[in-house]
Amino acid sequence: MSKHALVINGGISRGAFAVGAIKKIFEYRPELDFQILSGGGSGSLIIPFVSLKDMQPLVEIFTTKHNRDIIKKFSLSERLQEASILDASPLWGLLDHYYTHRLYDRLCDTDKMLYFNTMCLQTHALTVFSPRHHPEIASRYDHRCFENYDQFLRTLLASTCQPVLLPPIRIQPQEEPVRQYIDAGDREYAGIEMAIASGATDVYVLLQTPAAPAHEDKEYRDIFSILQKTLDIFIADAADDKQILPHLYNEGLRYIQAVKRKMGRQGVPATMIDDWFDTGMIDNPFYNRSPVRLHIIRPDLPLGGGPDGLSFDPAMMQEMLAKGEQAMATHLALTAPQGG
């Protein structure tokens, strides 16, 4: 039985590309249902509505907002004693408007697996928040549940707050010892691994960085622009690195399947083959697993959105959304079953 997963990380305003891609796949395949959804950065803002197949709020958020709706900007000298260069209070207002009590209640009632990814400054751990406990994730990551609506909004905010640019967030304000959370970025291959651990057969991974970055001739002169560009480069590198281990995992599973088929052709009984491949190892990642179908959808060229994805311009984001639609349409056409 197929089990579909959606993984979206990073991007902030570039999340418009992911929204366009999801919008297109629902148009082509309205029956498709994502049972597993993992998000960080803009992905955390997207997966709640995708889980409920409610795309209209996402289209509005990612095609109509301006910088003033998301952040307040200051000169660097004004913020030297603050926790961040930018002020995220407008973003909190946006979350409060779109991510309502009713939405929160519906997410708590759903049987889908929702993973909101953050990183804890104090523990250095990738910390996954969810509406409910998931043992398959708790065995691999620091897994916590948000306990009320306020913590849900704080989780969304923390997951989108890039360090230094935006402030770290206390999801449980009274918690001691103190725990502050930030955007986990594209750390390792966590989102894909979470999907595999949760039993996904098909994993759709939406990246906002192109396979080949564009070269620039611009000289960066001030501290803020250098910081923004450096963060952008790290995010792009992580997006490429995160695919390596899942592909190796898949190749390992294909190899095991090929060996089993060869043993079967040589007359070895299936029960004996299964027994030989059951080594008794605890949490053996290869035991009784099949290769997953990875769908990587990403833009051909840089999307824009500023060096940190924190530039919100409706016209630009509408173009990103259209590019997401086109990228998904191309992917679906290339992967469609060949009829006779």
Side-chain angles (χ1 to χ4, degrees), residues 20 44 53 82 114 119 166 171 180 191 215 225-226 231 243 310 312 329:
S44 286
K53 289 196 169 184
E82 302 294 335
L114 295 166
M119 186 179 73
L166 296 171
I171 292 176
Q180 296 168 290
H215 290 250
S225 63
I226 292 170
L231 286 173
Q243 302 176 60
L310 281 171
F312 284 77

Side-chain angles (χ1 to χ4, degrees), residues 39-261:
S42 60
S44 286
L45 303 184
I46 294 171
I47 64 171
F49 289 106
V50 174
S51 70
L52 303 173
K53 289 196 169 184
D54 185 4
M55 295 301 295
Q56 185 52 43
L58 290 176
V59 172
E60 186 173 325
I61 292 169
F62 283 95
T63 62
T64 68
K65 303 306 173 187
H66 297 264
N67 278 353
R68 63 178 179 270
D69 302 312
I70 309 297
I71 54 176
K72 288 182 181 179
K73 293 187 175 182
F74 302 88
S75 67
L76 188 58
S77 61
E78 293 179 272
R79 305 289 289 179
L80 292 179
Q81 302 301 316
E82 302 294 335
S84 63
I85 297 173
L86 306 172
D87 182 347
S89 56
L91 177 56
W92 177 264
L94 181 143
L95 295 177
D96 188 50
H97 175 74
Y98 285 97
Y99 298 81
T100 62
H101 284 272
R102 181 172 182 271
L103 173 67
Y104 171 72
D105 290 340
R106 293 178 69 189
L107 293 179
C108 290
D109 288 340
T110 183
D111 60 355
K112 295 182 178 180
M113 301 177 185
L114 295 166
Y115 305 134
F116 299 87
N117 304 324
T118 70
M119 186 179 73
C120 179
L121 289 181
Q122 284 73 28
T123 66
H124 308 177
L126 191 152
T127 307
V128 184
F129 284 85
S130 296
R132 62 176 56 84
H133 182 73
H134 296 287
E136 60 273 29
I137 299 303
S139 65
R140 292 167 167 81
Y141 301 98
D142 184 0
H143 179 44
R144 308 185 67 178
C145 298
F146 38 76
E147 300 170 357
N148 53 50
Y149 175 68
D150 179 71
Q151 289 183 15
F152 167 59
L153 290 189
R154 287 175 176 272
T155 297
L156 296 180
L157 185 61
S159 188
T160 57
C161 280
Q162 297 179 11
V164 181
L165 297 179
L166 296 171
I169 304 300
R170 296 186 69 172
I171 292 176
Q172 296 177 330
Q174 308 307 318
E175 182 179 21
E176 294 294 342
V178 63
R179 293 290 180 261
Q180 296 168 290
Y181 298 91
I182 59 173
D183 179 3
D186 290 293
R187 191 172 178 182
E188 300 170 346
Y189 61 107
I192 301 175
E193 200 277 340
M194 288 176 202
I196 293 171
S198 299
T201 59
D202 291 75
V203 183
Y204 287 81
V205 183
L206 303 182
L207 303 177
Q208 283 92 49
T209 55
H215 290 250
E216 296 180 291
D217 297 323
K218 174 183 176 180
E219 182 178 0
Y220 291 87
R221 295 177 177 270
D222 63 279
I223 294 174
F224 188 38
S225 63
I226 292 170
L227 172 64
Q228 288 178 300
K229 186 60 181 179
T230 302
L231 286 173
D232 213 34
I233 292 170
F234 286 163
I235 290 172
D237 287 347
D240 291 329
D241 293 344
K242 68 183 286 188
Q243 302 176 60
I244 296 173
L245 285 177
H247 280 299
L248 285 175
Y249 174 83
N250 251 6
E251 288 304 312
L253 287 172
R254 291 193 182 99
Y255 172 75
I256 290 171
Q257 284 191 336
V259 172
K260 286 183 174 182
R261 286 195 295 268

Side-chain angles (χ1 to χ4, degrees), residues 306-325:
D308 48 22
L310 281 171
S311 295
F312 284 77
D313 175 79
M316 177 181 60
M317 290 190 292
Q318 288 164 17
E319 291 180 5
M320 294 183 196
L321 187 141
K323 290 176 181 177
E325 290 184 304

